[in-house]
């Protein structure tokens, strides 16, 4: 089979054109898999941060546990889950969500810690309750750091989604696996380059969103 | 419970522990290629990063390398190296895996070496020069010790990354612990995949903890305070999971 690989071009454009539909479909799958992971990860992280803010002693354990999960290679994490949750979307998402937690929790906590105490004290003196201080003062001021976390998590997850091809998901990663199995270079290139472009595009979009949502950050 | 029994009976079979596809051999393969690729990458990335940091150039380059490193999925790198390797006549297995690991280990070590040395306060470097130190002395006695925590930490990050990525080498015909996962999936023997996965996870965590320990003993005491002060307030960069 190797001579066959050696003689083919890196990318056959006719294949790309013929598979434009499935490339579009898998790009959408890729975005959906990423969106669910970052969305669910964000909700869980916010809950975890609320717990940490209430019981500060838990910060170490929360960061520690998400740090341990972060070290486990995604393929290994999925293989451990498969006996229990099957070759399913659920397995892929549990793994993907796990990797967003450390990034998001850390950034949210760091962002909130960076809020100047004067701002909180002023709000308290004006009669704001703790909950309102959090929502109306702390979160807006921490927003640049929080959004940076969302951006990093998104770019990271786009890369990891490719590995979920192994359990029948994968978005553009499915092309990579397909190419490896058939010794056919074009789909490998399409899947690899596609996921990098997707990461760069989403990074740019989220950076623009960040700028729009935090106009004051531009001044400082 | 049934599943656990399956795992135990898989492990209980004698041939899992012997021969070229037994657990010990796969483990050694995994560690060997990881260590070799890491050392080769460090030999390239650290000196070049340190030198660029010393002459205070290449800031933009380091940011670009870091961002590209983050956006490139390891799976894609491993897969893309394969056709190149075959074309160059290096074949399947060891070489495509090694090249992918080497490439993936470069960015964190290069970026940290460059910024680590480049971030040493200018006044310190100037005073060292003012005291009559030669360039190499400035590098050896001032810049390198101060940059050491950042550089050594990046070696640990790269090591964990490499150990995790070696798992993917199974896709391009390499052995290592990834074989158990791949083979288990292929024949629907999830007990085998499970064992492989647990071994990989343990190896990754052992690498992280082991090198973390080593870091503490290698670094001169007192440096931690300097490093801690410089990082206060900023969100430290996280490594990328594989």
């Amino acid at each position: 089979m190797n001579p066959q690989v050696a003689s083919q071009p890196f990318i056959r454009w006719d294949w790309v054109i013929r598979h434009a539909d499935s490339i579009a479909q898998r790009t959408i799958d890729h975005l959906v898999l990423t969106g669910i992971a970052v969305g669910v990860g964000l909700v869980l992280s916010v809950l975890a941060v609320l717990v940490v803010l209430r019981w500060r002693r838990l910060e170490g354990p929360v960061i520690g546990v998400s740090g341990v999960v972060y070290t486990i290679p995604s393929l290994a994490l999925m293989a451990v889950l498969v006996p229990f949750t099957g070759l399913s979307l659920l397995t892929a998402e549990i793994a993907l969500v796990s990797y967003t937690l450390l990034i998001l929790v850390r950034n949210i906590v760091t962002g909130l810690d960076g809020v100047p105490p004067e701002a909180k004290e002023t709000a308290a003196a004006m009669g704001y309750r703790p909950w309102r201080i959090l929502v109306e003062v702390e979160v807006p001021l921490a927003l640049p750091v929080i959004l940076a976390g969302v951006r990093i998590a998104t770019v990271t997850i786009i890369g990891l989604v490719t590995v979920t091809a192994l359990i029948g998901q994968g978005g553009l990663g499915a092309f990579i696996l397909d190419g490896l199995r058939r010794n056919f270079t074009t789909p490998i290139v399409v899947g690899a380059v596609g996921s990098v472009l997707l990461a760069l595009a989403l990074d740019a979009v989220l950076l623009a969103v960040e700028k729009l949502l935090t106009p004051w950050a531009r001044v400082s | 419970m049934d599943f656990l029994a399956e795992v135990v009976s898989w492990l209980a079979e004698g041939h899992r522990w012997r021969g070229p596809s037994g657990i010990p051999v796969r483990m050694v393969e995994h560690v060997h290629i990881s260590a070799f690729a890491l050392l080769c990458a460090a030999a390239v990335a650290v000196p070049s990063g340190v030198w660029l940091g010393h002459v205070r150039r290449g800031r933009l380059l380091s940011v670009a390398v870091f961002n590209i490193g983050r956006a490139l999925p390891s799976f894609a790198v491993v897969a893309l190296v394969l056709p190149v390797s075959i074309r160059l006549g290096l074949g399947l297995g060891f070489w495509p895996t090694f090249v992918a690991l080497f490439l993936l280990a470069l960015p964190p070590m290069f970026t940290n070496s460059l910024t680590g040395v480049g971030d040493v306060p200018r006044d310190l470097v100037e005073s060292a020069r003012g005291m009559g130190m030669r360039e190499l002395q400035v590098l050896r006695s001032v810049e390198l010790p101060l940059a050491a925590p950042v550089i050594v930490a990046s070696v640990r990050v790269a090591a964990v990354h490499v150990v995790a990525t070696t798992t993917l080498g199974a896709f391009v015909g390499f052995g290592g612990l990834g074989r158990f996962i791949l083979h288990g999936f292929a024949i629907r023997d999830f007990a085998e995949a499970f064992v492989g996965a647990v071994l990989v996870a343990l190896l990754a965590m052992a690498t992280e903890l082991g090198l973390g320990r080593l870091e503490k003993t290698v670094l001169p005491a007192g440096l931690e305070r300097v490093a801690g002060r410089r990082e206060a307030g900023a969100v430290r960069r996280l490594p990328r999971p594989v």
Side-chain angles (χ1 to χ4, degrees):
Chain A
M1 279 207 224
N2 290 357
Q4 180 204 331
V5 173
S7 61
Q8 59 177 273
F10 271 105
I11 186 151
R12 273 179 35 200
W13 291 105
D14 59 314
W15 187 93
V16 177
I17 292 162
R18 267 187 292 120
H19 291 77
D21 284 350
S22 68
I23 292 172
Q25 184 55 47
R26 283 179 177 171
T27 305
I28 294 170
D29 292 348
H30 207 114
L31 287 172
V32 170
L33 282 162
T34 308
I36 297 174
V38 176
V40 174
L42 195 57
V43 171
L44 291 180
S45 303
V46 167
L47 291 177
V49 169
L50 288 178
V51 169
V52 165
L53 289 181
R54 177 71 184 75
W55 294 283
R56 204 69 212 214
R57 266 182 314 160
L58 290 176
E59 183 177 350
V62 167
I63 300 273
V65 170
S66 31
V68 168
V69 176
Y70 202 81
T71 323
I72 302 174
S74 57
L75 182 57
L77 187 53
M78 290 188 293
V80 168
L81 291 169
V82 163
F84 309 102
T85 49
L87 296 169
S88 63
L89 178 67
L90 181 64
T91 307
E93 289 296 349
I94 293 175
L96 295 176
V97 166
S98 313
Y99 293 107
T100 65
L101 296 180
L102 182 63
I103 302 173
L104 294 172
V105 168
R106 266 180 30 137
N107 272 55
I108 298 173
V109 169
T110 313
L112 292 177
D113 279 347
V115 174
E118 303 92 79
K120 287 185 264 185
E121 283 158 20
T122 311
M126 286 169 70
Y128 277 40
R129 304 246 157 214
W131 187 251
R132 198 170 160 209
I133 296 180
L134 181 68
V135 174
E136 292 184 17
V137 178
E138 293 181 85
V139 169
L141 286 175
L143 211 52
V145 183
I146 297 175
L147 290 177
V150 172
R151 195 156 54 82
I152 296 169
T154 307
V155 173
T156 306
I157 296 305
I158 286 186
L160 282 179
V161 164
T162 55
V163 181
T164 65
L166 266 304
I167 55 166
Q169 311 292 327
L172 292 165
F175 285 124
I176 303 179
L177 191 63
D178 185 41
L180 283 177
R181 284 191 174 143
R182 294 197 286 144
N183 282 322
F184 181 25
T185 312
T186 304
I188 300 180
V189 175
V190 168
V193 174
S195 62
V196 171
L197 290 180
L198 208 56
L200 296 179
L202 247 76
D203 192 45
V205 169
L206 288 173
L207 201 62
V209 171
E210 213 175 301
K211 289 241 164 84
L212 263 174
L213 284 181
T214 56
W216 60 87
R218 262 174 292 176
V219 185
S220 57
Chain B
M1 275 299 106
D2 280 356
F3 179 70
L4 270 183
E6 253 178 74
V7 170
V8 171
S9 72
W10 190 90
L11 283 170
E13 285 169 54
H15 67 274
R16 308 291 185 208
W17 301 92
R18 284 190 304 268
S21 54
I23 291 172
V25 170
R26 293 293 187 217
M27 180 70 94
V28 168
E29 278 174 345
H30 202 110
V31 173
H32 259 177
I33 198 170
S34 302
F36 185 45
L38 182 76
L39 287 179
C40 291
V44 174
V46 175
S48 56
V50 164
W51 183 75
L52 281 174
H54 176 70
V55 299
R56 310 222 166 209
R57 277 164 202 256
R59 270 292 154 152
L60 267 173
L61 180 68
S62 84
V63 175
V65 167
F66 183 82
N67 286 339
I68 291 171
R70 190 170 263 287
L72 268 182
S74 307
F75 185 40
V77 175
V78 173
L80 276 178
V81 167
L82 180 68
V84 180
S85 157
I86 288 174
R87 219 159 292 210
L88 294 177
L90 297 172
L92 291 162
F94 179 83
W95 283 110
T97 311
F98 172 80
V99 172
L101 296 176
F102 175 81
L103 292 176
L104 287 165
L106 292 175
M109 293 190 287
F110 176 74
T111 309
N112 274 31
S113 302
L114 198 157
T115 51
V117 173
D119 281 350
V120 171
R122 237 169 224 281
D123 38 357
L124 285 183
V125 178
E126 294 304 322
S127 353
R129 286 205 184 105
M131 286 168 69
M133 282 191 182
R134 292 165 190 284
E135 283 310 295
L136 270 182
Q137 281 179 307
V138 173
L139 188 64
R140 220 191 53 199
S141 323
V142 180
E143 289 178 320
L144 276 182
L146 285 171
V150 185
I151 299 175
V152 176
S154 74
V155 176
R156 173 173 49 86
V157 166
V160 175
H161 194 89
V162 163
V163 165
T165 308
T166 303
T167 319
L168 301 176
F171 288 99
V172 292
F174 184 69
L177 296 168
R179 261 305 161 83
F180 295 119
I181 303 180
L182 195 67
H183 186 249
F185 275 164
I187 64 165
R188 302 268 153 156
D189 181 353
F190 295 137
E192 178 176 4
F194 183 86
V195 171
V198 170
L199 289 172
V200 169
L202 289 177
L203 191 60
M205 282 191 253
T207 308
E208 165 89 27
L209 291 178
L211 291 183
R213 233 348 119 66
L214 194 70
E215 232 174 286
K216 290 225 170 86
T217 53
V218 168
L219 294 178
L223 267 183
E224 225 161 79
R225 275 176 290 133
V226 184
R229 203 166 54 217
R230 220 183 303 158
E231 276 164 13
V235 190
R236 262 198 311 157
R237 282 164 169 172
L238 270 178
R240 184 164 54 101
V242 178

